[in-house]
Amino acid sequence: MSQFTKEEKIRRRARESFILFEHKEGSRLVDIKDVPAAVRACGVNPTTVQMNMIIDQLAALNAENEMSSLIGLENFEMVVSNILLQHEAALFRDDYHSLLRAFRAFDPEGKGYIEVDQIKLIITTKGEPMTDDEVNKMVNFAADDQGRIYYEDYAQKLTTDGRGR
């Protein structure tokens, strides 16, 4: 039996993710622009609508603060933990095999990779489009020197970020 309750584990996960993106080490503050990355570091992948809901809740709690672009640990932990407790299943990222199936749909020849230009077109025009900044970060992380994303490796990176659930 685990020594921590589900709520304690989720709060700890939110706190650990927050610390990764702390504005200045030990400040217990994170810039609101880093909130999406900090939330995703909790092991979830919210939609833009879900992320906006989280940011709106944090901004409302932070409205009185003169440094309104900086979010405190306590507010982040409270909002993110509550969202995770209530909606965790809807926020989880896909597993390795689901990602492989999705990537393989764009690789009909079975080459094992997708060209960067092809993936850029897909992720900026289909479904929930990504921003140029998000696309560039993804490509820098995923692509090799020849402009190819070997999706088995990329799916592995996306699903195993060094932490257990």
Side-chain angles (χ1 to χ4, degrees):
M1 188 166 139
S2 176
Q3 65 190 37
F4 297 106
T5 66
K6 180 178 180 177
E7 184 175 338
E8 290 169 329
K9 287 179 185 177
I10 286 176
R11 285 195 177 283
R12 195 155 114 235
R13 193 165 73 195
R15 181 178 294 266
E16 289 170 357
S17 297
F18 178 92
I19 290 168
L20 292 173
F21 294 90
E22 221 170 9
H23 180 64
K24 290 181 183 170
E25 190 173 339
S27 68
R28 299 172 62 94
L29 297 169
V30 70
D31 194 301
I32 200 157
K33 70 178 174 44
D34 292 326
V35 166
V39 170
R40 288 184 185 100
C42 290
V44 295
N45 190 17
T47 65
T48 300
V49 170
Q50 292 167 325
M51 186 61 71
N52 287 341
M53 181 182 72
I54 293 168
I55 290 170
D56 288 348
Q57 287 182 27
L58 288 168
L61 288 171
N62 212 39
E64 301 292 317
N65 189 343
E66 21 184 275
M67 295 186 300
S68 61
S69 69
L70 297 176
I71 304 298
L73 172 62
E74 292 77 19
N75 287 344
F76 180 88
E77 185 178 358
M78 179 181 63
V79 169
V80 172
S81 295
N82 287 339
I83 297 287
L84 290 175
L85 282 167
Q86 295 169 15
H87 306 288
E88 190 172 26
L91 299 171
F92 265 127
R93 43 176 86 152
D94 290 326
D95 67 21
Y96 174 76
H97 297 290
S98 297
L99 290 172
L100 279 185
R101 282 192 300 276
F103 283 124
R104 285 181 178 142
F106 299 105
D107 180 22
E109 294 89 34
K111 300 176 289 190
Y113 63 86
I114 301 172
E115 298 288 342
V116 167
D117 292 339
Q118 180 185 8
I119 200 78
K120 280 184 173 181
L121 179 66
I122 294 165
I123 62 180
T124 57
T125 61
K126 308 281 186 212
E128 190 174 328
M130 295 173 71
T131 67
D132 289 341
D133 186 48
E134 290 170 328
V135 171
N136 290 333
K137 285 179 182 176
M138 186 211 117
V139 167
N140 289 337
F141 179 73
D144 69 4
D145 294 338
Q146 286 90 37
R148 296 177 177 163
I149 297 173
Y150 287 88
Y151 50 82
E152 287 186 13
D153 295 336
Y154 185 51
Q156 188 69 34
K157 288 178 186 177
L158 290 174
T159 57
T160 57
D161 57 1
R163 290 189 303 266
R165 290 203 187 202

